[in-house]
Amino acid sequence: MPEMTQVVDSEVISAYATYVVIVVLKMMLMAPLTSYYRMKKKVFANLEDTKLAHPVEEPKFVRVDPDVERVRRCHQNDLENVVPFVLVGLLYSLTGPDAATAITYFRVFAASRLCHTVAYVLPLPQPSRALSWLTGLVVTCCMAYRVLLHNFRL
Amino acid sequence: MPEMTQVVDSEVISAYATYVVIVVLKMMLMAPLTSYYRMKKKVFANLEDTKLAHPVEEPKFVRVDPDVERVRRCHQNDLENVVPFVLVGLLYSLTGPDAATAITYFRVFAASRLCHTVAYVLPLPQPSRALSWLTGLVVTCCMAYRVLLHNFRL
Amino acid sequence: MPEMTQVVDSEVISAYATYVVIVVLKMMLMAPLTSYYRMKKKVFANLEDTKLAHPVEEPKFVRVDPDVERVRRCHQNDLENVVPFVLVGLLYSLTGPDAATAITYFRVFAASRLCHTVAYVLPLPQPSRALSWLTGLVVTCCMAYRVLLHNFRL
């Protein structure tokens, strides 16, 4: 029976770890960006948060703003796409893929998500956002396909 | 010290990988389904998206629709349940569970999420959706219980 | 080439598994809490759910309530923070960190999320929620930093 050390390519795992951290940090960056827009536009979701922007309690600050909602939708889209990439990517990395192919997948995915965020937040005209989203989706599906075909022998 | 090859059952890991890919792909399928409903009902979240449906910019298409929101809630529920299953399931698979039990857990969970999606999107009368959601939750909790009791010796 | 058994500290993996299960279960607990508030305040997102609260179909129960939305925002914040912690934490655990440091990270993160939930749901005055959120974020970033610097040799 082959050992874990033979099955797992350390180059693939290293690249996987690096790109996972990059896309997860990018995803987490959406939270401070949301806070920035909330502060800038004085738009809050909770009554207790309004005191951070203004010493006197201001219920009128508790409302919905298109710019804030845009950043939140971008964050949500990250959750819906980055998390599957990380989960499927881990299993994909354990299938012993060709290192060059794997690293290409990771890079294309990371680039597609950076483009998606820029296209969403600015925003750029469509279909820039749709295409960057689709690119990431295709990468995850390619990896998922290989995982389904693979017979794990750890 | 036992080796990884002795601790991890390759049958369990193979089943885990297969069912993870199935439920994650099912979860990701909700995004195209949302797009389909948005196109069909001409309901968009962003002004720049309305051009995809109509060459002339149509701010009136930027609105909320009950059918679109239903699919989005289903997607959100997947995120809230499938992701914990995958994360806890990985640790569970490393505890060296009985293969038949593990595969039963994975199958029941995958079936429960498929039922949940059908019950949510159609929709079917309650409590079909509540019961399918609960079934998945119980599976994840059973796996979490075993992880908590297990002393990892890798 | 070093073996998996030498690289991975079983104490770190055991602690990782325990704290992952704790924070994921806490996150999943937000769903029943949302249901509880929906039942208590008779506020539902779907028409078919209103029958669970009342035998006669009551469209007026399909509405938005501030208390229910508060719990849902807390759940969403968990998704946005707990999932990155679990994903980055797994890679961090494989970098062979000092066990005491790793366990401290896990404990601080778990405590910060418990505080965050209490601060959000009650709610406590700000900046209690902001600080507990920030604490968790800093822990995840510290772990991410180590993963980026680490050269994986499995």
Side-chain angles (χ1 to χ4, degrees), chain B residues 100-148:
Chain B
T101 310
I103 292 168
T104 305
Y105 279 165
F106 302 157
R107 283 187 183 157
V108 169
F109 183 86
S112 79
R113 295 313 298 179
L114 293 177
C115 291
H116 182 271
T117 303
V118 172
Y120 215 147
V121 174
L122 282 182
L124 298 178
Q126 284 280 31
S128 60
R129 196 186 87 226
L131 287 181
S132 55
W133 166 79
L134 192 64
T135 306
L137 190 73
V138 167
V139 169
T140 305
C141 288
C142 288
M143 297 195 306
Y145 181 69
R146 188 181 160 93
V147 173
L148 282 180

Side-chain angles (χ1 to χ4, degrees), chain C residues 10-143:
Chain C
S10 65
E11 197 184 347
V12 171
I13 288 287
S14 271
Y16 170 75
T18 303
Y19 286 102
V20 161
V21 168
I22 289 172
V23 292
V24 168
L25 285 182
K26 193 229 75 67
M27 178 170 79
M28 296 185 76
L29 205 73
M30 300 314 288
L33 190 63
T34 305
S35 300
Y36 167 76
Y37 274 93
R38 285 198 184 282
M39 291 292 186
K40 183 183 162 195
K41 303 198 78 174
K42 292 191 169 44
V43 172
F44 300 96
N46 303 290
L47 192 60
E48 69 268 24
D49 303 353
T50 58
K51 288 190 181 171
L52 288 173
H54 203 276
V56 187
E57 204 164 291
E58 291 280 6
K60 68 171 174 159
F61 290 159
V62 181
R63 55 192 161 89
V64 170
D65 176 85
D67 288 358
V68 172
E69 293 307 303
R70 177 176 286 279
V71 182
R72 290 186 61 221
R73 283 196 299 273
C74 184
H75 197 170
Q76 181 71 15
N77 195 281
D78 267 355
L79 270 179
E80 291 169 3
N81 289 278
V82 170
V83 174
F85 164 80
V86 176
L87 300 176
V88 173
L90 176 64
L91 296 168
Y92 169 78
S93 299
L94 298 175
T95 63
D98 174 53
T101 311
I103 292 168
T104 305
Y105 279 164
F106 301 157
R107 283 187 183 157
V108 169
F109 184 86
S112 79
R113 295 313 299 180
L114 292 177
C115 290
H116 182 271
T117 303
V118 172
Y120 214 149
V121 174
L122 281 183
L124 297 179
Q126 283 280 29
S128 60
R129 197 186 89 226
L131 288 180
S132 56
W133 167 79
L134 192 64
T135 306
L137 191 71
V138 168
V139 169
T140 305
C141 288
C142 288
M143 297 195 307

